[in-house]
């Protein structure tokens, strides 16, 4: 849309043109009128203070022309001022009543600031609507994630209370796993809500990150080996990194958990390196990889690759969102890129901060 001049300039311009027009009619028009009257109707001009009939007609015509011009300018101005204002006011009322899809039509005639007001209002309504949609989606997704473990817990506990199930270690371990899953879901939600409110704090200190990450790799070595993964790691042991080691360990755990849940058994490479002022931590698997259309979105909360497979393999759908939140809290970012048949998840952040 071409930029329209400012409201104040347009009002001054219109009023100045109108005043000029009226002066032209009144002053120059009179000259012309008298010139014609003197030349063609010499007797028609009054010699006293009372205007003659012809002069009265001339005065009436001048008043009518001036009035016409002012009405024309007033209508034009009000159309450009009041119409967008009214449409914003109308849509505002609708939004206030809960109709979040209300939008003010953008009239081509709307002037500078008015056009800006309309488009700002529409942008605000759009944002409000998408935030509401997002909140509804989050509520539904969280309720959905809570339902399964709570149903299982309830069923098993009820069975125990009624004597249908015999108390056994296996049963209690199963219950404990459900509670741990719930606990993790709550912790992930907490991290994400802290991030959304800008309160996800990272305690940045200088650490030998390789040592920290090794403890995570050791904890995962057995379950990975049991599933047939071959863990390879290239961690620069001398690298001193400024970061919150607890959070980075949490991110690595989420990525390794994902490999366990979603990747095909095979090689799993974990690398930590520093290049071009960026610290890079990557976890790379051998497949099945992530659809390239999904790769940019996969870090959004509750976004899953193959839904049936992901659901079967469990997980709250928040793992990668937490990874992204941790990377961003370090002033960096997280990406997923294809690597051979599999995918590589990379977290990087500036080395100096
Ligand atoms: N290593 C991987 N290989 C293939 N797909 C993966 C991998 N890691 C994550 N994904 C896909 O990304 C989705 C989102 O991961 P995440 O946010 O951790 O949620 P969750 O693991 O709880 O399903 C997973 O559901 C899965 O479809
Ligand atoms: Mg996960």
């Amino acid at each position: 849309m071409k930029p329209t001049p400012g409201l104040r300039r347009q009002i001054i311009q219109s009023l100045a043109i109108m005043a000029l027009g009226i002066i032209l009619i009144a002053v120059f028009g009179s000259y012309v009128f008298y010139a014609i009257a003197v030349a063609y109707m010499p007797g028609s001009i009054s010699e006293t203070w009372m205007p003659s009939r012809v002069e009265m007609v001339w005065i009436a015509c001048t008043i009518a022309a001036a009035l016409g011009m002012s009405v024309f300018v007033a209508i034009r101005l009000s159309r450009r001022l009041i119409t967008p204002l009214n449409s914003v006011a109308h849509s505002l009322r609708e939004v206030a009543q809960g109709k979040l899809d209300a939008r003010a039509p953008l009239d081509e005639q709307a002037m500078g600031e008015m056009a800006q007001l309309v488009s700002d209002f529409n942008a605000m309504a759009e944002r409000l609507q998408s935030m509401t949609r997002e909140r509804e989606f989050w509520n539904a997704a969280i309720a959905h994630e809570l339902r399964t473990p709570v149903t299982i817990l309830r069923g098993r506990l009820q069975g125990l209370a009624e004597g249908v199930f015999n108390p056994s270690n296996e049963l209690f371990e199963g219950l404990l796993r459900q509670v741990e899953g719930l606990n993790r879901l709550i912790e992930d939600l907490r991290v994400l809500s802290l991030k959304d409110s800008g309160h996800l704090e990272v305690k940045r200190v200088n650490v030998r990150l390789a040592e920290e990450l090794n403890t995570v790799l050791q904890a995962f070595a057995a379950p990975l080996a049991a599933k047939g993964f071959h863990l390879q790691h290239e961690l620069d042991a001398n690298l001193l990194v400024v970061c919150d080691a607890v959070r980075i360990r949490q991110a690595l755990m989420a990525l390794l958990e994902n490999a366990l849940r979603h990747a095909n058994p095979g090689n799993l490479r974990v690398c930590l390196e520093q290049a071009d002022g960026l610290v890079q931590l990557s976890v790379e698997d051998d497949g099945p990889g992530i659809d390239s259309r999904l790769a940019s979105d996969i870090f959004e909360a509750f976004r899953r690759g193959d839904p049936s497979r992901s659901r079967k393999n469990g997980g709250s759908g928040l793992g990668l969102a937490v990874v992204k939140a941790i990377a961003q809290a370090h002033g960096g970012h997280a990406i997923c890129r294809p690597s051979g048949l599999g995918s590589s998840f990379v977290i990087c952040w500036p080395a100096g901060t």
Side-chain angles (χ1 to χ4, degrees):
M1 205 176 77
K2 81 174 168 36
T4 42
L7 201 53
R8 184 208 297 254
R9 223 184 87 196
Q10 287 216 10
I11 291 177
I12 293 175
Q13 222 173 6
S14 306
L15 292 185
I17 290 173
M18 183 183 79
L20 202 66
I22 292 175
I23 289 170
L24 279 178
I25 292 174
V27 178
F28 292 103
S30 297
Y31 271 112
V32 175
F33 165 73
Y34 280 105
I36 293 170
V38 168
Y40 299 104
M41 301 177 286
S44 67
I45 298 168
S46 157
E47 311 246 312
T48 65
W49 63 270
M50 253 320 260
S52 66
R53 269 211 12 236
V54 177
E55 282 171 309
M56 288 239 219
V57 171
W58 165 244
I59 290 169
C61 287
T62 314
I63 290 173
L67 274 179
M69 270 180 77
S70 359
V71 169
F72 173 74
V73 170
I75 288 176
R76 229 172 72 108
L77 271 179
S78 72
R79 243 218 358 251
R80 293 181 166 197
L81 276 173
I82 308 293
T83 312
L85 211 53
N86 270 343
S87 72
V88 168
H90 177 73
S91 314
L92 201 59
R93 220 169 298 126
E94 286 193 320
V95 169
Q97 286 164 357
K99 266 189 73 187
L100 297 185
D101 57 350
R103 297 288 179 273
L106 187 53
D107 192 339
E108 292 223 328
Q109 304 244 294
M111 287 180 185
E113 285 89 339
M114 281 296 141
Q116 191 62 43
L117 177 74
V118 172
S119 69
D120 283 349
F121 167 80
N122 285 342
M124 187 199 72
E126 186 71 43
R127 176 120 186 77
L128 202 62
Q129 192 179 21
S130 79
M131 274 168 60
T132 309
R133 242 187 258 135
E134 214 169 287
R135 203 195 62 219
E136 286 164 0
F137 167 76
W138 267 79
N139 288 346
I142 293 168
H144 184 81
E145 297 304 329
L146 286 173
R147 198 178 308 128
T148 315
V150 170
T151 310
I152 294 175
L153 277 172
R154 193 165 152 259
R156 300 278 152 83
L157 288 173
Q158 202 165 13
L160 273 171
E162 290 168 1
V164 180
F165 294 137
N166 288 325
S168 69
N169 279 354
E170 269 163 49
L171 185 69
F172 286 122
E173 273 164 22
L175 293 181
L176 204 56
R177 260 201 305 282
Q178 297 300 330
V179 175
E180 276 162 10
L182 280 173
N183 201 20
R184 246 210 338 264
L185 175 64
I186 293 167
E187 174 57 20
D188 286 351
L189 285 171
R190 198 179 72 87
V191 171
L192 293 179
S193 70
L194 281 176
K195 179 219 155 198
D196 280 346
S197 61
H199 290 105
L200 181 60
E201 283 180 14
V202 286
K203 298 190 193 78
R204 293 191 187 108
V205 282
N206 242 327
V207 284
R208 288 203 188 282
L209 192 54
E211 283 172 24
E212 301 281 340
L213 299 183
N214 261 323
T215 59
V216 177
L217 293 181
Q218 275 162 19
F220 272 82
L224 283 171
K227 271 216 156 181
F229 282 97
H230 179 55
L231 184 63
Q232 303 168 337
H233 47 88
E234 289 169 30
L235 309 179
D236 188 342
N238 295 320
L239 200 58
L240 263 177
V241 178
V242 185
C243 68
D244 184 334
V246 177
R247 290 289 182 210
I248 299 293
R249 278 207 315 253
Q250 187 184 0
L252 178 62
M253 281 195 278
L255 293 178
L256 292 177
E257 244 167 51
N258 275 356
L260 267 174
R261 285 182 205 278
H262 309 293
N264 296 335
N267 288 324
L268 190 67
R269 287 164 296 278
V270 180
C271 300
L272 172 70
E273 58 191 357
Q274 184 173 331
D276 302 331
L278 281 182
V279 183
Q280 262 198 29
L281 172 63
S282 62
V283 176
E284 193 181 333
D285 59 48
D286 272 353
I290 288 183
D291 194 330
S292 57
R293 278 167 301 172
L294 250 180
S296 56
D297 273 1
I298 201 76
F299 289 91
E300 298 302 318
F302 302 113
R303 202 58 52 93
R304 292 187 164 98
D306 176 353
S308 60
R309 190 181 160 119
S310 304
R311 185 143 298 288
K312 189 178 88 229
N313 294 339
S316 63
L318 294 175
L320 290 179
V322 168
V323 170
K324 179 177 153 191
I326 291 174
Q328 287 179 341
H330 280 80
H333 58 274
I335 50 168
C336 162
R337 55 183 175 219
S339 147
L341 289 175
S343 40
S344 171
F345 293 88
V346 186
I347 315 173
C348 36
W349 67 96
T353 54

